[in-house]
């Protein structure tokens, strides 16, 4: 792996992010507006219902941005190469697939850190909610688990787009939101029907959000709720990498990959 080529891809991603109004709106503007809307709604809940319910809402929103931004960066980042007719140009160079994926992952992690820090600061200054109340260590562990899950989902979506083309590019934006109700982002798990509750335990973010809500009252780390989703995430990443490579090879064999650059 050449770190110079990875660095070059990251530099390209930086310029795309900096100069693209669409990326700025999709990532930064949407995140900021979400924390403002959820923040005012949390104030309403705290005055009418309970403070814990309002904190659940803001906590879920802040942590969900880690998933959304990481997945977006991997899946939609590739679409910019497709739309600019540059994807096939990249891969006729000595660029290796693992270098391309490494740059996409690094870019997603950096964006997630920046956006999480930004919206967390807004939540603290405007609405008096400090996400570090769950514990710095717990926040880091939550970030790691959520990022790995988002990367796995992003790789699967990217593989499908490589294989079937831009006619299903809407998956890059929409699929991740299917996990919101299934992972109990904004509410405890118990209100879900039994079938969905069982299904929720298949997804690592469920454990992260459940533990984060518990940490609002007790910042002690529940290692079972950390290690179990981490093990599931390892399996998810392994499957996602296998699936992505399978779709990538099928795309090249069928000629679909070449069409993405036309």
């Amino acid at each position: 792996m050449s770190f110079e080529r990875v660095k070059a891809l990251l530099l390209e991603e930086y310029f795309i992010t900096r100069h693209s109004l669409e990326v700025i709106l999709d990532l930064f503007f949407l995140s900021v507006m979400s924390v403002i809307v959820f923040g005012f709604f949390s104030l309403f809940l705290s005055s009418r219902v309970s403070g814990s319910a309002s904190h659940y809402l803001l906590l879920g929103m802040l942590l969900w941005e880690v998933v959304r931004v990481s997945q977006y960066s991997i899946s939609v980042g590739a679409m910019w190469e497709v739309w600019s007719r540059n994807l096939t140009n990249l891969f006729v160079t000595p660029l290796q697939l693992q270098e391309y994926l490494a740059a996409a992952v690094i870019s997603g992690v950096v964006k997630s850190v920046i956006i999480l820090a930004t919206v967390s600061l807004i939540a603290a200054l405007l609405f008096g909610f400090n996400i570090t109340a769950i514990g710095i260590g717990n926040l880091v562990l939550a970030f790691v688990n959520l990022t790995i899950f988002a990367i796995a989902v992003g790789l699967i979506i990217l593989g499908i787009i490589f294989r079937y083309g831009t006619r299903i590019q809407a998956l890059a934006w929409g699929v991740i939101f299917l996990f919101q109700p299934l992972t109990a982002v904004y509410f405890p798990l118990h209100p879900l029907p039994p079938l969905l509750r069982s299904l929720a335990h298949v997804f690592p973010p469920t454990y992260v959000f459940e533990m984060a809500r518990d940490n609002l009252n007790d910042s002690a780390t529940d290692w079972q709720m950390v290690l179990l989703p981490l093990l599931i995430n390892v399996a998810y990443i392994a499957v996602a990498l296998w699936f992505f490579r399978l779709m990538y090879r099928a795309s090249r064999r069928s000629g679909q990959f070449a069409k993405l650059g036309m």
Side-chain angles (χ1 to χ4, degrees):
M1 179 180 292
S2 168
F3 291 102
E4 287 299 317
R5 288 194 286 267
V6 173
K7 180 181 176 181
L9 288 174
L10 290 174
L11 185 61
E12 179 198 30
E13 183 69 19
Y14 167 74
F15 284 118
I16 290 175
T17 303
R18 180 180 175 182
H19 296 289
S20 171
L21 181 60
E22 290 86 352
V23 174
I24 293 173
L25 288 175
D26 283 349
L27 292 182
F28 296 96
F29 180 76
L30 182 57
S31 296
V32 170
M33 291 307 300
S34 294
V35 73
I36 291 174
V37 171
F38 276 78
F40 283 120
F41 188 50
S42 71
L43 293 180
F44 168 77
L45 284 180
S46 63
S47 64
R48 298 298 181 91
V49 185
S50 70
S52 61
S54 65
H55 289 164
Y56 288 173
L57 195 65
L58 264 177
L59 178 64
M61 177 267 149
L62 294 175
L63 291 178
W64 176 255
E65 287 303 288
V66 176
V67 179
R68 186 184 73 87
V69 172
S70 296
Q71 181 269 320
Y72 178 99
S73 185
I74 292 175
S75 302
V76 182
M79 297 309 304
W80 285 106
E81 303 291 354
V82 174
W83 295 327
S84 63
R85 305 292 189 267
N86 191 48
L87 186 65
T88 51
N89 292 335
L90 286 177
F91 284 92
V92 297
T93 69
L95 179 70
Q96 299 180 32
L97 186 59
Q98 58 265 34
E99 294 167 348
Y100 175 81
L101 294 180
V105 169
I106 294 171
S107 173
V109 171
V110 171
K111 289 176 184 175
S112 294
V113 170
I114 294 173
I115 290 178
L116 178 61
T118 302
V119 293
S120 296
L121 181 61
I122 293 173
L125 294 177
L126 297 184
F127 308 108
F129 177 76
N130 187 357
I131 194 173
T132 60
I134 68 174
I136 298 295
N138 292 329
L139 180 58
V140 172
L141 292 171
F143 182 90
V144 170
N145 264 322
L146 292 175
T147 300
I148 296 174
F149 174 76
I151 290 170
V153 174
L155 288 175
I156 290 173
I157 296 173
L158 186 58
I160 295 173
I161 292 173
F162 275 13
R163 178 63 182 88
Y164 297 103
T166 56
R167 61 183 179 273
I168 56 171
Q169 65 187 16
L171 293 177
W173 292 274
V175 166
I176 196 66
F177 290 98
L178 294 175
F179 295 99
Q180 270 193 340
L182 295 176
T183 55
V185 175
Y186 302 114
F187 49 82
L189 195 59
H190 61 78
L192 289 176
L195 179 60
L196 292 182
R197 200 181 310 146
S198 300
L199 180 62
H201 287 100
V202 177
F203 305 116
T206 302
Y207 302 90
V208 174
F209 289 113
E210 284 284 278
M211 177 177 156
R213 283 188 286 267
D214 290 339
N215 287 147
L216 286 174
N217 300 316
D218 181 4
S219 60
T221 303
D222 185 343
W223 287 104
Q224 181 178 352
M225 296 289 280
V226 173
L227 296 178
L228 182 56
L230 184 61
L231 289 175
I232 300 174
N233 268 326
V234 171
Y236 271 48
I237 280 291
V239 171
L241 286 171
W242 168 81
F243 181 82
F244 174 79
R245 288 183 178 275
L246 182 69
M247 292 293 99
Y248 174 73
R249 290 167 183 161
S251 178
R252 292 182 73 96
R253 285 197 302 269
S254 66
Q256 179 62 54
F257 190 78
K259 294 178 183 177
L260 291 174
M262 298 173 60

